[in-house]
Amino acid sequence: MRGVILAAGQGRRMGHYTGDVPKAFLEFDGRTLYDRQCALLEPHVDETAVVLGYRHETVLERFDPENPLILEDWDRYENAASLLLALGRIDDDLLVLNGDVLVDMREIGRLTGQFDALGGRLNLVGCIPGLQDVETAIRWDETGRVTAYGLIEGHQHAGFGVVSRDHRMAAIRVLRTRLHDWYPCVYPLTPTRPLLIPADRHVEINRPADLDRARTWLASERIRCA
């Protein structure tokens, strides 16, 4: 399995914090989000790529990330284009992590363990329990197959998942026609199951106030994060 961090966007809601680097390369408590994310993925993948777009020259010069994939015209598309680039370059099972989330390492392990238990035949997508309609959400049917994604009532998308190599070409075909969509649109259109994770084992950084929330989350004795 290979890892990929999607970090091409600007993160405008962060204001001046992302004036010269994308969210994944914000430093707090002495480390970048990217560094923490790579440490989370490292036990489960052979290597981790990062999709860059906004201020990628600065990122390359300042942080020298391993395996950078540069998305040209990043500002013309949504992050479906980022996943399409990664799938086109990497012929393997792909563990995908949004560039603005941290997840308890036990949930990453549970995701990869379930993927292995299913023989790699299905994609998996992380979801937070509890129906809501204010964030992008995932729905599935009585058989456990994902059927819908978007600004709908459902379980909040947690910003991580696995796209199986078995469905790589199908995912590429879907994403080629949906470059202006969010990448989880691929999940209802390829065989995918949800993985429910506790809400307190996940933190997303969208606004400046979320940096303090992330610090508190990382300091909790209940959380295990690299």
Side-chain angles (χ1 to χ4, degrees), residues 25-72:
F25 290 87
L26 290 176
E27 294 186 63
F28 64 101
D29 293 350
R31 296 174 69 185
T32 62
L33 273 171
Y34 168 76
D35 177 59
R36 296 179 191 276
Q37 290 174 321
C38 285
L40 280 172
L41 297 180
E42 191 273 334
H44 307 285
V45 300
D46 293 321
E47 63 179 5
T48 295
V50 58
V51 180
L52 301 173
Y54 170 70
R55 301 290 190 188
H56 66 268
E57 301 94 341
T58 300
V59 172
L60 294 174
E61 179 180 347
R62 188 182 301 177
F63 301 100
D64 191 26
E66 295 186 17
N67 305 310
L69 304 176
I70 308 303
L71 179 65
E72 303 295 339

Short mmCIF file of all heavy atoms in Angstrom, two decimals, residues 25-72:
data_model
loop_
_atom_site.label_atom_id
_atom_site.label_comp_id
_atom_site.label_asym_id
_atom_site.label_seq_id
_atom_site.Cartn_x
_atom_site.Cartn_y
_atom_site.Cartn_z
N PHE A 25 1.22 22.37 5.67
CA PHE A 25 2.58 22.75 6.06
C PHE A 25 2.60 23.87 7.09
O PHE A 25 3.65 24.48 7.33
CB PHE A 25 3.39 23.09 4.81
CG PHE A 25 3.67 21.87 3.98
CD1 PHE A 25 2.76 21.45 3.03
CD2 PHE A 25 4.79 21.09 4.21
CE1 PHE A 25 2.98 20.29 2.29
CE2 PHE A 25 5.02 19.93 3.50
CZ PHE A 25 4.11 19.53 2.53
N LEU A 26 1.47 24.11 7.74
CA LEU A 26 1.45 24.99 8.89
C LEU A 26 2.20 24.32 10.04
O LEU A 26 2.01 23.13 10.31
CB LEU A 26 0.01 25.27 9.33
CG LEU A 26 -0.84 26.15 8.41
CD1 LEU A 26 -2.25 26.24 8.96
CD2 LEU A 26 -0.23 27.53 8.26
N GLU A 27 3.02 25.08 10.72
CA GLU A 27 3.75 24.55 11.85
C GLU A 27 3.08 24.98 13.16
O GLU A 27 2.75 26.15 13.33
CB GLU A 27 5.20 25.05 11.83
CG GLU A 27 6.01 24.53 10.65
CD GLU A 27 7.47 24.92 10.72
OE1 GLU A 27 8.15 24.48 11.66
OE2 GLU A 27 7.91 25.66 9.83
N PHE A 28 2.84 24.03 14.04
CA PHE A 28 2.38 24.35 15.38
C PHE A 28 2.95 23.31 16.34
O PHE A 28 3.09 22.14 16.00
CB PHE A 28 0.86 24.43 15.48
CG PHE A 28 0.11 23.17 15.20
CD1 PHE A 28 -0.38 22.39 16.24
CD2 PHE A 28 -0.10 22.74 13.90
CE1 PHE A 28 -1.06 21.21 15.99
CE2 PHE A 28 -0.79 21.57 13.64
CZ PHE A 28 -1.27 20.80 14.69
N ASP A 29 3.35 23.79 17.49
CA ASP A 29 4.04 22.95 18.48
C ASP A 29 5.27 22.29 17.87
O ASP A 29 5.59 21.14 18.18
CB ASP A 29 3.09 21.90 19.06
CG ASP A 29 1.98 22.52 19.89
OD1 ASP A 29 2.07 23.72 20.17
OD2 ASP A 29 1.04 21.79 20.25
N GLY A 30 5.93 23.03 16.99
CA GLY A 30 7.21 22.59 16.45
C GLY A 30 7.17 21.61 15.30
O GLY A 30 8.23 21.17 14.83
N ARG A 31 5.97 21.24 14.83
CA ARG A 31 5.87 20.28 13.73
C ARG A 31 4.78 20.72 12.76
O ARG A 31 3.82 21.38 13.14
CB ARG A 31 5.54 18.88 14.25
CG ARG A 31 6.60 18.27 15.13
CD ARG A 31 6.13 16.96 15.71
NE ARG A 31 6.02 15.91 14.72
CZ ARG A 31 5.53 14.70 14.95
NH1 ARG A 31 5.10 14.39 16.16
NH2 ARG A 31 5.47 13.79 14.01
N THR A 32 4.93 20.32 11.51
CA THR A 32 3.88 20.60 10.54
C THR A 32 2.83 19.50 10.59
O THR A 32 3.09 18.38 11.04
CB THR A 32 4.44 20.67 9.11
OG1 THR A 32 5.00 19.38 8.76
CG2 THR A 32 5.51 21.74 8.98
N LEU A 33 1.63 19.83 10.09
CA LEU A 33 0.60 18.81 9.91
C LEU A 33 1.14 17.68 9.04
O LEU A 33 0.94 16.49 9.32
CB LEU A 33 -0.63 19.42 9.25
CG LEU A 33 -1.68 20.06 10.15
CD1 LEU A 33 -2.70 20.80 9.29
CD2 LEU A 33 -2.36 19.02 11.01
N TYR A 34 1.83 18.05 7.97
CA TYR A 34 2.38 17.06 7.03
C TYR A 34 3.30 16.08 7.76
O TYR A 34 3.22 14.87 7.53
CB TYR A 34 3.13 17.78 5.92
CG TYR A 34 3.99 16.90 5.06
CD1 TYR A 34 3.42 16.08 4.10
CD2 TYR A 34 5.38 16.88 5.22
CE1 TYR A 34 4.22 15.25 3.31
CE2 TYR A 34 6.17 16.06 4.43
CZ TYR A 34 5.59 15.25 3.48
OH TYR A 34 6.38 14.43 2.70
N ASP A 35 4.15 16.59 8.63
CA ASP A 35 5.07 15.72 9.36
C ASP A 35 4.31 14.73 10.23
O ASP A 35 4.62 13.54 10.27
CB ASP A 35 6.01 16.57 10.21
CG ASP A 35 6.95 15.73 11.05
OD1 ASP A 35 7.72 14.95 10.48
OD2 ASP A 35 6.91 15.85 12.30
N ARG A 36 3.29 15.22 10.93
CA ARG A 36 2.49 14.33 11.77
C ARG A 36 1.74 13.30 10.92
O ARG A 36 1.60 12.13 11.31
CB ARG A 36 1.50 15.15 12.60
CG ARG A 36 2.14 16.09 13.60
CD ARG A 36 1.08 16.87 14.36
NE ARG A 36 1.63 17.95 15.15
CZ ARG A 36 2.15 17.82 16.37
NH1 ARG A 36 2.17 16.64 16.94
NH2 ARG A 36 2.63 18.87 17.01
N GLN A 37 1.22 13.73 9.78
CA GLN A 37 0.48 12.82 8.92
C GLN A 37 1.39 11.72 8.36
O GLN A 37 1.00 10.55 8.31
CB GLN A 37 -0.18 13.60 7.78
CG GLN A 37 -1.31 14.49 8.26
CD GLN A 37 -1.86 15.35 7.15
OE1 GLN A 37 -1.12 15.87 6.31
NE2 GLN A 37 -3.17 15.51 7.12
N CYS A 38 2.59 12.10 7.93
CA CYS A 38 3.53 11.08 7.43
C CYS A 38 3.85 10.05 8.52
O CYS A 38 3.94 8.85 8.23
CB CYS A 38 4.81 11.75 6.95
SG CYS A 38 4.67 12.61 5.37
N ALA A 39 4.00 10.52 9.75
CA ALA A 39 4.28 9.60 10.85
C ALA A 39 3.11 8.67 11.11
O ALA A 39 3.29 7.49 11.45
CB ALA A 39 4.64 10.39 12.12
N LEU A 40 1.88 9.18 10.94
CA LEU A 40 0.70 8.33 11.09
C LEU A 40 0.64 7.24 10.04
O LEU A 40 0.28 6.09 10.31
CB LEU A 40 -0.57 9.19 11.00
CG LEU A 40 -1.00 9.98 12.22
CD1 LEU A 40 -2.15 10.91 11.86
CD2 LEU A 40 -1.42 9.04 13.35
N LEU A 41 0.99 7.60 8.81
CA LEU A 41 0.87 6.65 7.70
C LEU A 41 2.04 5.67 7.64
O LEU A 41 1.88 4.55 7.14
CB LEU A 41 0.79 7.42 6.37
CG LEU A 41 -0.42 8.35 6.19
CD1 LEU A 41 -0.35 9.03 4.82
CD2 LEU A 41 -1.72 7.59 6.32
N GLU A 42 3.19 6.08 8.13
CA GLU A 42 4.44 5.33 7.93
C GLU A 42 4.35 3.84 8.29
O GLU A 42 4.85 2.99 7.55
CB GLU A 42 5.57 6.01 8.69
CG GLU A 42 6.96 5.49 8.35
CD GLU A 42 7.37 4.28 9.18
OE1 GLU A 42 6.84 4.14 10.31
OE2 GLU A 42 8.18 3.49 8.70
N PRO A 43 3.70 3.44 9.41
CA PRO A 43 3.67 2.01 9.72
C PRO A 43 2.85 1.17 8.74
O PRO A 43 2.95 -0.06 8.76
CB PRO A 43 3.02 1.98 11.12
CG PRO A 43 3.18 3.35 11.66
CD PRO A 43 3.09 4.25 10.48
N HIS A 44 2.05 1.81 7.90
CA HIS A 44 1.08 1.09 7.09
C HIS A 44 1.37 1.14 5.59
O HIS A 44 0.70 0.45 4.82
CB HIS A 44 -0.32 1.65 7.34
CG HIS A 44 -0.69 1.70 8.78
ND1 HIS A 44 -1.04 0.57 9.50
CD2 HIS A 44 -0.74 2.73 9.66
CE1 HIS A 44 -1.29 0.91 10.75
NE2 HIS A 44 -1.12 2.21 10.87
N VAL A 45 2.34 1.95 5.18
CA VAL A 45 2.57 2.15 3.75
C VAL A 45 4.06 2.00 3.43
O VAL A 45 4.92 2.16 4.30
CB VAL A 45 2.07 3.53 3.28
CG1 VAL A 45 0.57 3.67 3.54
CG2 VAL A 45 2.83 4.67 3.94
N ASP A 46 4.33 1.71 2.16
CA ASP A 46 5.72 1.62 1.72
C ASP A 46 6.34 2.99 1.51
O ASP A 46 7.55 3.16 1.69
CB ASP A 46 5.80 0.81 0.42
CG ASP A 46 5.41 -0.65 0.63
OD1 ASP A 46 5.79 -1.21 1.66
OD2 ASP A 46 4.72 -1.21 -0.23
N GLU A 47 5.52 3.96 1.11
CA GLU A 47 5.97 5.34 0.97
C GLU A 47 4.75 6.23 0.91
O GLU A 47 3.63 5.76 0.66
CB GLU A 47 6.84 5.53 -0.29
CG GLU A 47 6.10 5.27 -1.58
CD GLU A 47 6.98 5.47 -2.80
OE1 GLU A 47 8.19 5.74 -2.64
OE2 GLU A 47 6.45 5.39 -3.91
N THR A 48 4.96 7.53 1.13
CA THR A 48 3.87 8.49 1.09
C THR A 48 4.20 9.62 0.12
O THR A 48 5.26 10.24 0.22
CB THR A 48 3.61 9.09 2.49
OG1 THR A 48 3.16 8.05 3.36
CG2 THR A 48 2.54 10.18 2.44
N ALA A 49 3.27 9.87 -0.80
CA ALA A 49 3.37 11.00 -1.72
C ALA A 49 2.51 12.13 -1.18
O ALA A 49 1.60 11.92 -0.37
CB ALA A 49 2.92 10.60 -3.11
N VAL A 50 2.77 13.36 -1.64
CA VAL A 50 1.94 14.50 -1.28
C VAL A 50 1.63 15.27 -2.55
O VAL A 50 2.51 15.55 -3.35
CB VAL A 50 2.62 15.40 -0.23
CG1 VAL A 50 3.97 15.92 -0.70
CG2 VAL A 50 1.70 16.56 0.16
N VAL A 51 0.34 15.58 -2.76
CA VAL A 51 -0.07 16.36 -3.92
C VAL A 51 -0.03 17.83 -3.53
O VAL A 51 -0.69 18.26 -2.58
CB VAL A 51 -1.48 15.97 -4.39
CG1 VAL A 51 -1.88 16.82 -5.60
CG2 VAL A 51 -1.54 14.49 -4.76
N LEU A 52 0.76 18.60 -4.28
CA LEU A 52 0.95 20.02 -4.01
C LEU A 52 0.42 20.84 -5.17
O LEU A 52 0.37 20.38 -6.31
CB LEU A 52 2.45 20.33 -3.83
CG LEU A 52 3.17 19.58 -2.71
CD1 LEU A 52 4.66 19.87 -2.78
CD2 LEU A 52 2.61 19.98 -1.35
N GLY A 53 0.04 22.08 -4.88
CA GLY A 53 -0.40 23.02 -5.91
C GLY A 53 -0.07 24.42 -5.47
O GLY A 53 0.93 25.01 -5.88
N TYR A 54 -0.90 24.98 -4.59
CA TYR A 54 -0.70 26.31 -4.05
C TYR A 54 0.67 26.42 -3.37
O TYR A 54 1.02 25.59 -2.52
CB TYR A 54 -1.82 26.62 -3.05
CG TYR A 54 -1.61 27.86 -2.23
CD1 TYR A 54 -1.70 29.12 -2.81
CD2 TYR A 54 -1.33 27.78 -0.86
CE1 TYR A 54 -1.52 30.28 -2.05
CE2 TYR A 54 -1.16 28.92 -0.10
CZ TYR A 54 -1.25 30.17 -0.70
OH TYR A 54 -1.06 31.30 0.05
N ARG A 55 1.44 27.43 -3.77
CA ARG A 55 2.76 27.71 -3.20
C ARG A 55 3.67 26.49 -3.16
O ARG A 55 4.45 26.30 -2.22
CB ARG A 55 2.61 28.29 -1.78
CG ARG A 55 1.80 29.58 -1.69
CD ARG A 55 2.52 30.75 -2.31
NE ARG A 55 1.86 32.01 -2.00
CZ ARG A 55 2.19 33.18 -2.54
NH1 ARG A 55 3.19 33.23 -3.42
NH2 ARG A 55 1.53 34.28 -2.21
N HIS A 56 3.57 25.66 -4.19
CA HIS A 56 4.37 24.43 -4.14
C HIS A 56 5.86 24.72 -4.19
O HIS A 56 6.66 23.96 -3.63
CB HIS A 56 3.97 23.47 -5.27
CG HIS A 56 4.28 23.96 -6.65
ND1 HIS A 56 3.37 24.67 -7.40
CD2 HIS A 56 5.40 23.83 -7.41
CE1 HIS A 56 3.92 24.96 -8.57
NE2 HIS A 56 5.14 24.48 -8.59
N GLU A 57 6.26 25.81 -4.84
CA GLU A 57 7.69 26.14 -4.89
C GLU A 57 8.23 26.40 -3.48
O GLU A 57 9.33 25.94 -3.12
CB GLU A 57 7.94 27.37 -5.77
CG GLU A 57 7.47 27.23 -7.20
CD GLU A 57 6.06 27.76 -7.42
OE1 GLU A 57 5.31 27.91 -6.40
OE2 GLU A 57 5.71 28.02 -8.58
N THR A 58 7.44 27.13 -2.68
CA THR A 58 7.85 27.41 -1.31
C THR A 58 7.93 26.13 -0.49
O THR A 58 8.88 25.93 0.29
CB THR A 58 6.85 28.38 -0.64
OG1 THR A 58 6.81 29.60 -1.39
CG2 THR A 58 7.25 28.68 0.79
N VAL A 59 6.95 25.25 -0.66
CA VAL A 59 6.95 23.99 0.07
C VAL A 59 8.17 23.15 -0.28
O VAL A 59 8.86 22.61 0.60
CB VAL A 59 5.66 23.20 -0.22
CG1 VAL A 59 5.75 21.79 0.38
CG2 VAL A 59 4.45 23.93 0.34
N LEU A 60 8.48 23.06 -1.57
CA LEU A 60 9.62 22.26 -2.00
C LEU A 60 10.93 22.82 -1.45
O LEU A 60 11.81 22.07 -1.02
CB LEU A 60 9.68 22.21 -3.52
CG LEU A 60 8.53 21.47 -4.22
CD1 LEU A 60 8.64 21.62 -5.73
CD2 LEU A 60 8.49 20.01 -3.83
N GLU A 61 11.04 24.13 -1.44
CA GLU A 61 12.29 24.75 -0.98
C GLU A 61 12.44 24.68 0.53
O GLU A 61 13.51 24.38 1.05
CB GLU A 61 12.32 26.21 -1.42
CG GLU A 61 13.57 26.97 -0.98
CD GLU A 61 13.56 28.41 -1.45
OE1 GLU A 61 12.74 28.77 -2.31
OE2 GLU A 61 14.39 29.19 -0.93
N ARG A 62 11.34 24.92 1.24
CA ARG A 62 11.43 25.03 2.70
C ARG A 62 11.36 23.69 3.41
O ARG A 62 12.01 23.48 4.44
CB ARG A 62 10.30 25.93 3.21
CG ARG A 62 10.41 26.28 4.69
CD ARG A 62 9.24 27.12 5.16
NE ARG A 62 9.12 28.37 4.43
CZ ARG A 62 8.15 29.25 4.61
NH1 ARG A 62 7.19 29.00 5.51
NH2 ARG A 62 8.10 30.36 3.91
N PHE A 63 10.58 22.75 2.86
CA PHE A 63 10.31 21.50 3.59
C PHE A 63 10.85 20.25 2.90
O PHE A 63 10.93 19.20 3.52
CB PHE A 63 8.81 21.34 3.83
CG PHE A 63 8.21 22.47 4.62
CD1 PHE A 63 7.53 23.49 3.98
CD2 PHE A 63 8.35 22.52 6.00
CE1 PHE A 63 6.97 24.54 4.70
CE2 PHE A 63 7.81 23.56 6.73
CZ PHE A 63 7.12 24.58 6.08
N ASP A 64 11.16 20.34 1.61
CA ASP A 64 11.71 19.22 0.86
C ASP A 64 10.94 17.92 1.10
O ASP A 64 11.50 16.91 1.55
CB ASP A 64 13.19 19.02 1.22
CG ASP A 64 13.90 18.06 0.29
OD1 ASP A 64 13.47 17.92 -0.88
OD2 ASP A 64 14.88 17.42 0.72
N PRO A 65 9.63 17.90 0.82
CA PRO A 65 8.85 16.69 1.08
C PRO A 65 9.26 15.54 0.17
O PRO A 65 9.69 15.76 -0.98
CB PRO A 65 7.41 17.13 0.78
CG PRO A 65 7.57 18.23 -0.22
CD PRO A 65 8.83 18.96 0.17
N GLU A 66 9.11 14.33 0.67
CA GLU A 66 9.38 13.16 -0.17
C GLU A 66 8.22 12.94 -1.14
O GLU A 66 7.06 13.18 -0.81
CB GLU A 66 9.56 11.91 0.70
CG GLU A 66 10.78 11.96 1.60
CD GLU A 66 10.99 10.65 2.33
OE1 GLU A 66 10.41 9.63 1.91
OE2 GLU A 66 11.73 10.66 3.33
N ASN A 67 8.53 12.50 -2.33
CA ASN A 67 7.54 12.11 -3.33
C ASN A 67 6.48 13.18 -3.58
O ASN A 67 5.27 12.91 -3.47
CB ASN A 67 6.86 10.80 -2.92
CG ASN A 67 7.85 9.69 -2.67
OD1 ASN A 67 8.73 9.44 -3.49
ND2 ASN A 67 7.73 9.03 -1.53
N PRO A 68 6.88 14.41 -3.92
CA PRO A 68 5.87 15.43 -4.24
C PRO A 68 5.27 15.21 -5.63
O PRO A 68 5.98 14.86 -6.57
CB PRO A 68 6.67 16.73 -4.19
CG PRO A 68 8.06 16.33 -4.57
CD PRO A 68 8.25 14.94 -4.00
N LEU A 69 3.96 15.39 -5.75
CA LEU A 69 3.26 15.36 -7.03
C LEU A 69 2.67 16.76 -7.24
O LEU A 69 1.90 17.22 -6.40
CB LEU A 69 2.15 14.31 -7.03
CG LEU A 69 2.55 12.88 -6.68
CD1 LEU A 69 1.31 11.99 -6.63
CD2 LEU A 69 3.56 12.33 -7.68
N ILE A 70 3.03 17.43 -8.31
CA ILE A 70 2.63 18.81 -8.52
C ILE A 70 1.39 18.86 -9.41
O ILE A 70 1.43 18.38 -10.55
CB ILE A 70 3.76 19.64 -9.14
CG1 ILE A 70 5.05 19.48 -8.33
CG2 ILE A 70 3.34 21.10 -9.23
CD1 ILE A 70 4.93 19.86 -6.87
N LEU A 71 0.32 19.43 -8.90
CA LEU A 71 -0.91 19.59 -9.66
C LEU A 71 -0.92 20.96 -10.33
O LEU A 71 -1.06 21.98 -9.66
CB LEU A 71 -2.13 19.45 -8.73
CG LEU A 71 -3.50 19.61 -9.40
CD1 LEU A 71 -3.75 18.51 -10.41
CD2 LEU A 71 -4.61 19.65 -8.35
N GLU A 72 -0.73 20.96 -11.63
CA GLU A 72 -0.79 22.21 -12.38
C GLU A 72 -2.23 22.72 -12.41
O GLU A 72 -3.18 21.93 -12.37
CB GLU A 72 -0.28 21.99 -13.80
CG GLU A 72 1.14 21.44 -13.89
CD GLU A 72 2.19 22.40 -13.37
OE1 GLU A 72 1.91 23.62 -13.30
OE2 GLU A 72 3.30 21.94 -13.02
#
